[in-house]
Amino acid sequence: MKNKEVAEIFRKTAELLEIKGDNPFRIRAYERAAQTIESLTKDIEELAKEGRLENLPGIGADLAGKIKEILKTGTLSLYENLKKEIPPVLLNFLEIPSLGPKKVKAIYEKYGIISLDELEKACLQHKIAKLPGFGLKTEENILKGIKLIKEKTGRRPLGEVLPLAEEVIALIKSRAPLLQIEVAGSIRRRKETVKDIDVLITSTHPLEVMKVVSSLPLVEEVLAFGETKTSVRLKMGMQMDVRVVEPSAWGSALAYFTGSKAHNIRIRELALERGLKINEYGVFRGEERIAGKTEEEVYAILGLPFIPPELREDRGEIEAALQGRLPQLVNYEDIQGDGHVHSKYSDGMASLEEIMAKAEAMGLSWVAVCDHSQGLKVAGGVPVEDLFKKKKRIEELNARSKKVKLVFGAEVDILSDGTLDYPDEVLKEIDFVIAAIHTGFQQTEKQITQRIVSALKHPLVHALSHPTGRVIGEREPYAVNMEEVMKTAKEHGKALEINCYYKRLDLNDIHVKACVEMGIPLIIGTDAHIVDQMEYLRLGVSVARRGWCEKKDLLNTFTYDKFMEWLRGLRK
DNA sequence: GCCGTTTTCGGCCCGACTGTTTTCAGTCG
C-alpha cells in the first residue's frame, strides 16, 4: 500500500507546482515518478532498503531522497510547504473542464476563491469574465463543469463502459460514411476504469462523419466540433472524443490515440533518437512520410515488435520489446474454464444445468461451481448435507455431458480467526476449495494478513478468491500485506484468483504482474451469480494480459483433466 | 528534476480546438 501513498504525494506535488507555474519539466519529472512508483510490482520500502531507488527510470538522487523522506516521515516537506503557499483545495478546480493550472492560479490570485461554491457565485456575478484571458463563455463552461462535478461523473468501471462503447461504435458504423472504426484510448488498453470513450475513424468524408457523430441520439451536448476532432458528452454522462484521419494514417493514429500518454512519450523519444518524428499522421524522416498505415509498421520502423495495447503503460514494455522479451500474452481463445461461479445452491440464480448450457454456448469445457460456505448465511451458504447433494448432482451431470464438465467447488469463508468454514473431513471431499474473506474487513493489517496466510497454508485449500477485497468505486482494499500473501502462495504452490466480476477485478493488473514474475499460478473466476455474468470472463483475460500473463500462468487454460490433476496434485 | 554512442549542460512529445484574442495562450488528450 505504501507505493500508492508515495505516488499520490508526488502527483499532488506536481499539480501544486503546476498551479504555482513552476518549470514544466520539473513537473513532468514528479508525474513520471508518481506513475513509475504506482506501477511497481515490488514494495518501494524494500527497494529503498536495498538502495535501488535510483535504478528506477526517472528517479534520480533528488527524488530518491524525497522518497526516503516520505517513507520516514510520512510526508514530504516540499509538499507541505507548497500546501501552505497554495490551498490544496484548488486541486479540485483542475477537475473542471476548461480550467487548467494557469486559469486556476489567476482566479485564486485575483479573488482568493477556494471553494466550488465561491467559484460558482463569482461566475454568476460575472466576476470571472472580467479577468484577462477569461470571458463569458469561460464562465459558462466553469458553471457547467461545477454542475458535472456535483453530479460526480468520474471514472467508471471498464465492464460498464465497454458494452456502451461497442454500441456507440456500431451505431456510428451503420450511419456514417467511413472505412475503418475502432475504440482507442484506455478502453482499448482495457484499463480497469475509464473516463471517456475514444473513437478512431478513417474516412474520405470527415465532415459528414462528424455531423453524424454530433447528431447521434445518445449525444447530450457537443463540446467541440472539428473535421478531425470532435468531442461530445453522451446522455449517460460520459465524454466521447472522435477523431477522423485518412486511411493512410490509420496505424499511427491508432497507436497515438490508444496511448497511454506515458507510452507515447517514450515512443516519440525513441523516434527522435533515430532521427524520426512521430505524430498521429505518420512517422516522418524530415518531410518524408515513411510509415503509418498500420500499427505494426509504426512499431517496426522503430525496431520494435508490435506491442499489445494492454501493455502500453510504460511499465517496462518498451525495454522488453527492445530486448525481444515481450511476453506471449494469453488470449481469450486459450481459456477453457471459468474458475468461480455461483449456483442456486447458494446465492446464485442459475441451476447447474443452466451453467453448463452457458459454458457450452461460450465454448468453455469446464466451470468450477464454488458456492458460499455454510456460515455465510446472508449469501445462502451451503450446509454440509446440501453440499453432498450438489456433489452427487454434479457427478450425474458430468457423466451425461461430453462437452462441458462442472468442477465441484466451494468458496469457503476464512473466519476471523483464520480457520475455515467447513471442517477438514468435509473440505477433503470438495474438489476445488477457494478460500475468501467476507467479514471482519475492519481488522488490522496484521490480523487480516495472518488470516489469509493461515488459510493459504491449509493443505486442503487450493486458491484464494478476491485477494484484496476491493470493490471499484465503492470499497477500498482491506488492510492486507500482499507481499506476504504472495510469498505464502508461492511457497505452497497455491493459486491466487483474478476475480473478474466487473466491480472487483481483484487481483488487479499490477498484482498480477508481480505474481507472474514470482511464478504464482493464477485463476480467473467470474464470480457470476447469474449466467450472463460469465461473460465477464473477457474482463478477466484483459486483467491477465495487462499483468503480462502468458498461457502457462493461468489455470483457466488447462483442460478439465489437467485442471483436476493440478487440484489433486496440490493435496498429495 | 532527469539524463547522456553527438551532451555532465541544455535539452526535455506533439497537435487540435476553444475562447479570447487581432496572432495566440491555455487546455486537452
Side-chain angles (χ1 to χ4, degrees), chain A residues 93 170 182 192 199 216 249 252 265 302 306 334 379 392 400 403 453 466 515 537:
Chain A
F93 290 5
E182 193 161 329
E192 63 185 31
V199 178
L216 286 174
S252 46
I265 289 176
L302 297 176
F306 178 80
D334 297 326
K392 188 158 170 281
R400 262 194 268 152
K403 286 185 181 156
V453 163
H466 43 73
C515 288
L537 203 47

Side-chain angles (χ1 to χ4, degrees), chain A residues 357-383:
Chain A
K358 179 67 182 177
E360 185 171 347
M362 288 174 65
L364 298 176
S365 59
W366 56 269
V367 180
V369 187
C370 304
D371 285 297
H372 291 290
S373 57
Q374 56 184 0
L376 207 63
K377 296 285 193 294
V378 285
V382 187

Side-chain angles (χ1 to χ4, degrees), chain A residues 304-472:
Chain A
L304 299 174
F306 178 80
I307 300 179
E310 293 93 333
L311 297 185
R312 301 182 196 169
E313 298 288 349
D314 191 18
R315 289 178 183 162
E317 74 280 6
I318 292 169
E319 290 75 7
L322 283 168
Q323 295 160 15
R325 47 172 190 84
L326 276 179
Q328 285 295 317
L329 293 185
V330 66
N331 291 302
Y332 181 77
E333 293 68 34
D334 297 326
I335 302 297
Q336 305 228 22
D338 183 336
H340 184 170
V341 308
H342 292 262
S343 74
K344 278 183 179 165
Y345 281 89
S346 64
D347 58 350
M349 306 296 284
S351 66
L352 297 175
E353 291 86 342
E354 284 165 330
I355 292 169
M356 264 187 158
K358 179 67 182 177
E360 185 171 347
M362 288 174 65
L364 298 176
S365 59
W366 56 269
V367 180
V369 187
C370 304
D371 285 297
H372 291 290
S373 57
Q374 56 184 0
L376 207 63
K377 296 285 193 294
V378 285
V382 187
V384 174
E385 56 273 25
D386 288 353
L387 209 50
F388 289 102
K389 283 185 206 160
K390 177 178 159 186
K391 179 175 175 143
K392 188 158 170 281
R393 185 69 190 138
I394 285 178
E395 281 166 359
E396 286 167 12
L397 288 171
N398 280 350
R400 262 194 268 152
S401 165
K402 287 220 159 48
K403 286 185 181 156
V404 179
K405 305 284 185 191
L406 298 180
V407 177
F408 173 45
E411 180 183 9
V412 180
D413 222 32
I414 305 172
L415 304 176
S416 56
D417 61 357
T419 58
L420 296 166
D421 191 27
Y422 286 125
D424 285 3
E425 59 268 28
V426 173
L427 289 176
K428 73 177 192 326
E429 300 297 325
I430 303 171
D431 294 328
F432 177 38
V433 172
I434 185 161
I437 284 191
H438 293 102
T439 55
F441 299 139
Q442 69 294 333
Q443 286 182 326
T444 64
E445 174 173 320
K446 203 172 162 192
Q447 286 173 316
I448 290 192
T449 307
Q450 197 44 52
R451 257 168 102 182
I452 293 178
V453 163
S454 59
L456 275 176
K457 283 181 177 168
H458 193 292
L460 295 170
V461 168
H462 297 97
L464 174 68
S465 181
H466 43 73
T468 78
R470 68 100 174 247
V471 180
I472 294 173

Side-chain angles (χ1 to χ4, degrees), chain A residues 102-117:
Chain A
K102 298 285 193 311
K103 287 207 160 91
V104 168
K105 188 184 185 205
I107 293 170
Y108 172 62
E109 284 185 344
K110 178 71 183 176
Y111 296 120
I113 289 173
I114 53 162
S115 76
L116 283 180
D117 286 335

